[in-house]
Amino acid sequence: MNNATDLHYQVFYDDACPLCRFEMLRLQRLSTPGQFAMVDISAADFEARAYGFASDFDPAALGVLLHIRRNDGMLLIGIDAIAALYRAIGRGWWTKPVQWQFARPTLAALYAWFAANRYRISAGLGFAAKPAAACSINGCSGKKLAQ
């Protein structure tokens, strides 16, 4: 199971973040059916324990950096999660710098800053908040959400 296309992923993402939602919908469109199971951590009924996280796991950690769980049980966080998702859709070359040991600390710090400021960045790039029930795997209606 070392081929990225053999893996399936639970993707724990913040659907309340317009840019995050846009990117997850785009990734899902580029993936094979069933490859990604998107889990909205901002949903009112989200419970980390329902997804196998230990009772002492702080669910707020899921909102700090992107978390994904592969079907072999491995949990990937932050830049490693992003790289795995892009490899899964055949675009691993986009994240090749993550593999360069000298670049990892800088890339991890940049991603952590981005994640902490994702709402402000979304607004600055013109991504609109999600209108109720406006998004699906086929796209979204609204400013910069339609693809």
Side-chain angles (χ1 to χ4, degrees):
M1 186 178 304
N2 52 10
N3 184 345
T5 58
D6 294 337
L7 293 169
H8 297 273
Y9 305 85
Q10 280 183 317
V11 181
F12 300 93
Y13 78 104
D14 180 3
D15 194 66
C17 164
L19 181 56
C20 306
R21 180 180 55 259
F22 176 84
E23 187 61 12
M24 292 303 118
L25 288 168
R26 191 177 73 77
L27 282 169
Q28 198 166 26
R29 272 197 312 273
L30 294 171
S31 68
T32 59
Q35 191 172 23
F36 299 146
M38 300 299 187
V39 180
D40 176 13
I41 63 168
S42 67
D45 62 349
F46 174 76
E47 289 193 33
R49 288 174 60 184
Y51 292 94
F53 289 97
S55 59
D56 63 344
F57 179 80
D58 180 6
L62 294 172
V64 176
L65 299 173
L66 180 67
H67 286 60
I68 66 171
R69 181 179 293 124
R70 299 186 333 190
N71 59 320
D72 64 2
M74 179 176 277
L75 185 67
L76 300 171
I77 301 169
I79 61 173
D80 294 318
I82 294 167
L85 293 175
Y86 279 96
R87 279 192 305 273
I89 63 165
R91 305 259 185 359
W93 57 272
W94 287 1
T95 60
K96 191 74 168 163
V98 169
Q99 297 175 14
W100 303 337
Q101 289 305 313
F102 71 90
R104 285 182 64 79
T106 301
L107 293 173
L110 286 171
Y111 174 68
W113 178 86
F114 172 85
N117 293 283
R118 64 187 179 270
Y119 291 102
R120 195 173 345 186
I121 293 168
S122 291
L125 292 174
F127 285 87
K130 176 174 78 172
C135 292
S136 73
I137 188 63
N138 295 319
C140 300
S141 62
K143 184 179 176 185
K144 270 206 183 173
L145 289 177
Q147 186 62 16

